[in-house]
C-alpha cells in the first residue's frame, strides 16, 4: 500500500525558515515545524462515528481525508423492481463539484437511505425463503389498516403500505426497540423511499396480486371483527379459527397430502394436516399457525379447481381448535414434530400416491390461466405445483375375480368409467386374474383409487399396478379362447375427446347411477324393469328439463356396479344406446 501526503502551509525541510507554501485556506502562517513522522500520519479509525465526525477530524488534521465507500443501501437496489414504480427519486442529487468522487456519492447515498423520511410505505428485508404475504401483513396488523403488500421472494424483501403515515411510523418505532421475526427468522423494518406503491396488474402478476389481496382482506376482516380496535381480539369465530375442513369434490385426479401442503402453505405457515375419506369423499383438516392465514386460504381457495375442470375445493372452518397428529405419513403430518413415527403404511394408502400436475386424459397438463377472488380456474402451473412426467405402467393387475362370470367386455365396461381401456387379457391358467391396459398411466392410477376393494360378482377385487408395460396379444394361430381382446379402436371410449364432459363427472362407485342418451318416448317403467334384473330399484327420476337423462338408485353399491356393467351401451332404440355412469347425486 502506498501512502502520500501533502504539507499544505508547512515549510519544506530543504528550504529556509522563510520559504513557505501558502494556500487560500490558511489564515495565519504557523511557526516552522519539523516534518511529521509516519506514526503521526496514522489517524484512529472511528468505529461508530458518522461521516460528519470523520470530516471534522479531517479538518483538524494535516492530512486530507480519504473517502471511504461502503455498499449501497439494500433498498436502493430495489428501485428497478419490475413490480414497483417509485414515485420519488431514490438517488441523491448529483454534486456540481467535479472533484467529488463516485465513492463519496455512495457514502452520501447510504446516509440518505439510513435516514429515510417517514412514509406510508415500510420496507422489510432479510425475510425467510418460505415467507408468505400473510406473514408480512401480520407484522403490520397491530399498527393499523394496510392498503397494499408486495412480496419479493427472490430478494427476501417486502413492502407494506399503510392507509396513513402515523401507523407506519408506529410500526418502525416499535421494531426499532423490539426485534422483529418472521417464521423465527430475524428481519429488519425501516421506512421506504417509496411514498406509495404502484403495483403492476398485468396477467403475469395476477396470482401474486390475488394472494396479496387475500391476505389484506383477511387482515381487514380481523380488524373489523375486533370492533375497529387493532389492539386486541374479540371472541369471534373467524378471529380465532386456525383449522380448516377441506372437501375435494369432482375428483378426476387424486389429491395427496403433499399437494395440499404445497397449495395451502402459500397463504401462511401450515402446522398440521390430517386426510381421510368420509361418505366417499376425500377430505382434509388443515391447521395454520394463525387465523389470518387460515382466512386468507379459505377466501382464496374455496370453490377453486386444482386441475382443469375437476378436483374442486370446498372449504369451511372446522369445529376443532387443535389437531392431534400421532403419525407422520401419507395420511397425516405434523410439521412441528418431524420426530413422530410413520406408523403402519397400508397397501391402500400406498395405492393412493399419485403423480402431480398431469391431466389424466392428455399427455400434458394444460395450465389454467384464470385466478381471482371469485371462484375460477386454478391450474397446477399457476399454483406452483411441479408438473412431472407420467411414471409407472398403464397396465393393471386385477385379482380375485369370479372366473365363472368375468369376461373381457365386462372389465372393459367397468374400468372404462375411469379411463380408456386399450386391451384386456384374462389369464389362461388363472382365470380369476386379469391384465388391463389403460391408455395412460394416470388413468391406471384412477382405476386403482376407485376400484380397489370394490365388490364385483360378489367378490372383493384387488387392483394394483402391473410390472408389465403392455398387454401382449396372442400370436397368430395361438389358442386364446377369447380371453384377450383389443379395444384400441372401440367407439365406446368415454375420454377420447379432449375436454369431454365425461372428464368432469368421474365419481367413486355409488348406489345412484346417471343415465343418458335415453330415447324420447321411453317410459320410466321400461327402464326400471331392465335395471331390476340386476338388483333392487329404490328410486328413479327423469331430469325435469331433459328427459334424455335420469337418475336411478339401486339397492346397494354392489348392485349398482353390476347394473352399470350390464346396462352401459344397452340398446334402447333403433339408433340409441344407453350411457351409464356413477353419480354423486341423491334422489
Amino acid at each position: 500500500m502506498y501512502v502520500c501526503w501533502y504539507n499544505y502551509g508547512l515549510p519544506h525541510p530543504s528550504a529556509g525558515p522563510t520559504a513557505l507554501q501558502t494556500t487560500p485556506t490558511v489564515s495565519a502562517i504557523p511557526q516552522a515545524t519539523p516534518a511529521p513522522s509516519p506514526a503521526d500520519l496514522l489517524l484512529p479509525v472511528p468505529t461508530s462515528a458518522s461521516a460528519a465526525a470523520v470530516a471534522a477530524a479531517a479538518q483538524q488534521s494535516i492530512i486530507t481525508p480519504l473517502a471511504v465507500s461502503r455498499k449501497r443501501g439494500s433498498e436502493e437496489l430495489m428501485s428497478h423492481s419490475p413490480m414497483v414504480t417509485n414515485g420519488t427519486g431514490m438517488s441523491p442529487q448529483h454534486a456540481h463539484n467535479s472533484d467529488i468522487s463516485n465513492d463519496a456519492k455512495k457514502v452520501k447515498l447510504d446516509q440518505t437511505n439510513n435516514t429515510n423520511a417517514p412514509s406510508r410505505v415500510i420496507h422489510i428485508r432479510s425475510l425467510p425463503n418460505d415467507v408468505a404475504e400473510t406473514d408480512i401483513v401480520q407484522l403490520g396488523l397491530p399498527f393499523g389498516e394496510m392498503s397494499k403488500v408486495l412480496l419479493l421472494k427472490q430478494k427476501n424483501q417486502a413492502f407494506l403500505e399503510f392507509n396513513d403515515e402515523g401507523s407506519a411510523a408506529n410500526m418502525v418505532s416499535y421494531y426499532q426497540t423490539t426485534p422483529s421475526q418472521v417464521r423465527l427468522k430475524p428481519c429488519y423494518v425501516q421506512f421506504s423511499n417509496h411514498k406509495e406503491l404502484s403495483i403492476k396488474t398485468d396477467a403475469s402478476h395476477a396470482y401474486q396480486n390475488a394472494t396479496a389481496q387475500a391476505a389484506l382482506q383477511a387482515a381487514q376482516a380481523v380488524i373489523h371483527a375486533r370492533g375497529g380496535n387493532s389492539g386486541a381480539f374479540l371472541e369471534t369465530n373467524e378471529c380465532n379459527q386456525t383449522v380448516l375442513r377441506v372437501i375435494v369434490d369432482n375428483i378426476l385426479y387424486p389429491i395427496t397430502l403433499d399437494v395440499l401442503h404445497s397449495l395451502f402453505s402459500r397463504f401462511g405457515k401450515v402446522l398440521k394436516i390430517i386426510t381421510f375419506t368420509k361418505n366417499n369423499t376425500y377430505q382434509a383438516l388443515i391447521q395454520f399457525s394463525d387465523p389470518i392465514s387460515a382466512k386468507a386460504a379459505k377466501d382464496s381457495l374455496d370453490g377453486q379447481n386444482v386441475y382443469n375442470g375437476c378436483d374442486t375445493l370446498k372449504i369451511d372452518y372446522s369445529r376443532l381448535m387443535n389437531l392431534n397428529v400421532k403419525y407422520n405419513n401419507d395420511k397425516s403430518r405434523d410439521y412441528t414434530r418431524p420426530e413422530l413415527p410413520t406408523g403402519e403404511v397400508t397397501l391402500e394408502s400406498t395405492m393412493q400416491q399419485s403423480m402431480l400436475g398431469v391431466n389424466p386424459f392428455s399427455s400434458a397438463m394444460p395450465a389454467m390461466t384464470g385466478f381471482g377472488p371469485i371462484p375460477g380456474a386454478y391450474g397446477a402451473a399457476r399454483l406452483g405445483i411441479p408438473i412431472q412426467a407420467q411414471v409407472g405402467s398403464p397396465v393393471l393387475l386385477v385379482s380375485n375375480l369370479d372366473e365363472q362370470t368375468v369376461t373381457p367386455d365386462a372389465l372393459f365396461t367397468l374400468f372404462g368409467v375411469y379411463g380408456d381401456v386399450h386391451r384386456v387379457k384374462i389369464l389362461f391358467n388363472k382365470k380369476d386374474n386379469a391384465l388391463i391396459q389403460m391408455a395412460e398411466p394416470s388413468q391406471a392410477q384412477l382405476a386403482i383409487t376407485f376400484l380397489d376393494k370394490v365388490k364385483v360378482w360378489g367378490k372383493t377385487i384387488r387392483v394394483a399396478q402391473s410390472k408389465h408395460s403392455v398387454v401382449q396379444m396372442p400370436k397368430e394361430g395361438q389358442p386364446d379362447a377369447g380371453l384377450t381382446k383389443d379395444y384400441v379402436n372401440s367407439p365406446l371410449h368415454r375420454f377420447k375427446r379432449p375436454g369431454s364432459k365425461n372428464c368432469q363427472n368421474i365419481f367413486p362407485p355409488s348406489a345412484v347411477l346417471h343415465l343418458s342418451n335415453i330415447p324420447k318416448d321411453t317410459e320410466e317403467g321400461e327402464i326400471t324393469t331392465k335395471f331390476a334384473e340386476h338388483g333392487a330399484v329404490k328410486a328413479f327420476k327423469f331430469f325435469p328439463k331433459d328427459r334424455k337423462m335420469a337418475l336411478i338408485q339401486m339397492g346397494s353399491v354392489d348392485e349398482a356396479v353390476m347394473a352399470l356393467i350390464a346396462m352401459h351401451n344397452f340398446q334402447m332404440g333403433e339408433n340409441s344406446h344407453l350411457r351409464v355412469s356413477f353419480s354423486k347425486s341423491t334422489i
Side-chain angles (χ1 to χ4, degrees):
M1 180 178 71
Y2 298 93
V3 179
C4 299
W5 68 89
Y6 298 92
N7 297 332
Y8 292 114
L10 299 180
H12 194 276
S14 62
T18 58
L20 300 174
Q21 294 178 347
T22 60
T23 65
T25 59
V26 178
S27 58
I29 300 176
Q31 297 297 323
T33 323
S37 66
D40 298 329
L41 300 176
L42 300 178
L43 292 177
V45 179
T47 57
S48 60
S50 63
V54 174
Q59 290 178 359
Q60 298 175 1
S61 170
I62 60 174
I63 305 301
T64 300
L66 298 177
V68 182
S69 71
R70 292 183 290 173
K71 281 189 176 180
R72 283 180 281 184
S74 58
E75 190 176 7
E76 193 269 338
L77 300 177
M78 304 302 301
S79 60
H80 303 292
S81 168
M83 290 281 288
V84 182
T85 301
N86 189 11
T88 59
M90 298 188 69
S91 299
Q93 295 294 329
H94 292 291
H96 296 290
N97 190 346
S98 60
D99 293 335
I100 298 179
S101 66
N102 288 332
D103 285 343
K105 294 179 183 178
K106 295 177 182 178
V107 171
K108 184 176 180 182
L109 176 61
D110 205 40
Q111 292 169 351
T112 303
N113 284 341
N114 288 336
T115 58
N116 289 344
S119 166
R120 292 190 299 125
V121 182
I122 301 298
H123 176 224
I124 308 167
R125 54 191 176 87
S126 190
L127 294 167
N129 294 330
D130 58 346
V131 65
E133 281 85 352
T134 51
D135 297 315
I136 305 304
V137 168
Q138 286 184 81
L139 276 181
L141 181 63
F143 305 99
E145 294 189 8
M146 297 152 284
S147 54
K148 296 175 185 176
V149 59
L150 173 63
L151 178 60
L152 303 172
K153 271 196 170 183
Q154 292 182 345
K155 297 181 180 295
N156 300 96
Q157 302 187 23
F159 293 91
L160 181 63
E161 179 180 301
F162 284 90
N163 287 348
D164 59 89
E165 192 174 288
S167 299
N170 290 337
M171 179 175 177
V172 172
S173 176
Y174 178 80
Y175 287 121
Q176 281 179 347
T177 57
T178 304
S180 57
Q181 286 189 341
V182 173
R183 302 200 181 195
L184 302 180
K185 185 180 187 299
C187 60
Y188 302 96
V189 177
Q190 64 190 43
F191 285 117
S192 169
N193 274 351
H194 298 274
K195 297 304 179 184
E196 64 177 350
L197 291 180
S198 178
I199 299 177
K200 293 186 177 181
T201 57
D202 58 311
S204 62
H205 301 120
Y207 175 71
Q208 183 174 357
N209 292 341
T211 54
Q213 284 302 312
L216 290 171
Q217 290 170 7
Q220 191 80 1
V222 169
I223 291 177
H224 288 170
R226 295 170 176 173
N229 177 11
S230 60
F233 277 103
L234 294 178
E235 292 298 326
T236 59
N237 289 336
E238 291 193 359
C239 278
N240 298 285
Q241 287 287 350
T242 59
V243 180
L244 299 177
R245 184 184 67 165
V246 181
I247 298 175
V248 185
D249 200 6
N250 190 22
I251 291 183
L252 174 62
Y253 197 67
I255 298 294
T256 65
L257 183 146
D258 290 332
V259 170
L260 290 175
H261 182 264
S262 175
L263 192 60
F264 282 83
S265 62
R266 279 156 176 74
F267 300 92
K269 187 174 182 179
V270 175
L271 301 182
K272 303 172 186 178
I273 299 179
I274 297 176
T275 64
F276 56 95
T277 301
K278 183 178 181 181
N279 298 330
N280 288 329
T281 60
Y282 182 83
Q283 301 187 27
L285 295 173
I286 301 176
Q287 182 175 347
F288 281 91
S289 61
D290 60 273
I292 295 179
S293 298
K295 179 167 176 55
K298 177 181 179 296
D299 292 346
S300 297
L301 296 179
D302 186 28
Q304 302 285 359
N305 296 326
V306 179
Y307 302 113
N308 282 352
C310 64
D311 292 52
T312 306
L313 301 175
K314 295 182 178 179
I315 307 173
D316 58 8
Y317 287 108
S318 170
R319 295 179 181 179
L320 299 174
M321 300 302 295
N322 183 57
L323 298 182
N324 182 21
V325 177
K326 297 181 178 179
Y327 303 107
N328 284 339
N329 52 36
D330 63 329
K331 293 287 188 179
S332 61
R333 195 78 51 83
D334 187 339
Y335 296 94
T336 66
R337 301 180 61 193
E339 75 280 359
L340 287 178
T342 58
E344 181 181 357
V345 180
T346 63
L347 175 63
E348 180 181 4
S349 64
T350 303
M351 292 299 184
Q352 291 191 6
Q353 293 297 315
S354 62
M355 301 161 291
L356 305 178
V358 181
N359 190 323
F361 303 107
S362 66
S363 58
M365 173 71 191
M368 289 189 159
T369 56
F371 177 85
I374 60 175
Y378 225 150
R382 176 66 65 189
L383 296 177
I385 300 176
I387 299 178
Q388 300 179 354
Q390 297 189 68
V391 295
S393 169
V395 179
L396 299 169
L397 173 62
V398 185
S399 58
N400 202 37
L401 295 163
D402 184 353
E403 58 183 276
Q404 301 299 325
T405 312
V406 64
T407 64
D409 287 345
L411 294 177
F412 168 80
T413 300
L414 178 59
F415 282 78
V417 174
Y418 302 106
D420 293 335
V421 177
H422 282 185
R423 288 178 181 175
V424 177
K425 176 189 284 290
I426 299 173
L427 302 188
F428 186 81
N429 295 324
K430 198 174 183 182
K431 293 186 174 61
D432 61 345
N433 283 254
L435 294 174
I436 300 177
Q437 181 180 336
M438 309 296 288
E440 297 181 5
S442 52
Q443 296 179 7
Q445 289 290 334
L446 272 178
I448 290 172
T449 300
F450 291 120
L451 292 179
D452 185 40
K453 297 184 179 179
V454 169
K455 273 194 175 183
V456 184
W457 299 296
K459 301 181 71 174
T460 301
I461 66 171
R462 299 308 309 268
V463 184
Q465 203 167 46
S466 171
K467 64 180 180 180
H468 300 285
S469 58
V470 66
V471 172
Q472 298 289 346
M473 295 297 294
K475 295 180 181 179
E476 188 174 348
Q478 181 179 353
D480 181 64
L483 297 179
T484 305
K485 291 190 69 173
D486 186 289
Y487 297 94
V488 171
N489 298 317
S490 172
L492 300 179
H493 289 314
R494 296 175 186 253
F495 311 106
K496 60 184 178 181
R497 290 182 300 173
S500 169
K501 288 185 178 180
N502 292 329
C503 299
Q504 304 177 23
N505 295 286
I506 295 180
F507 306 104
S510 60
V512 178
L513 299 172
H514 179 273
L515 313 181
S516 60
N517 205 34
I518 303 173
K520 291 183 179 179
D521 300 331
T522 304
E523 298 295 331
E524 176 182 331
E526 184 179 351
I527 299 175
T528 55
T529 299
K530 291 293 184 182
F531 276 82
E533 298 176 6
H534 309 285
V537 176
K538 295 293 185 180
F540 180 89
K541 180 178 70 174
F542 278 111
F543 278 46
K545 296 183 180 180
D546 189 356
R547 284 183 60 90
K548 290 184 178 181
M549 294 190 293
L551 294 175
I552 186 169
Q553 182 176 347
M554 305 300 292
S556 65
V557 175
D558 300 348
E559 292 178 354
V561 170
M562 300 310 304
L564 182 143
I565 292 174
M567 296 301 297
H568 181 66
N569 201 43
F570 182 81
Q571 187 168 356
M572 297 290 295
E574 184 176 350
N575 296 312
S576 180
H577 291 76
L578 190 65
R579 298 288 182 262
V580 185
S581 59
F582 296 115
S583 174
K584 66 174 182 178
S585 304
T586 58
I587 302 178

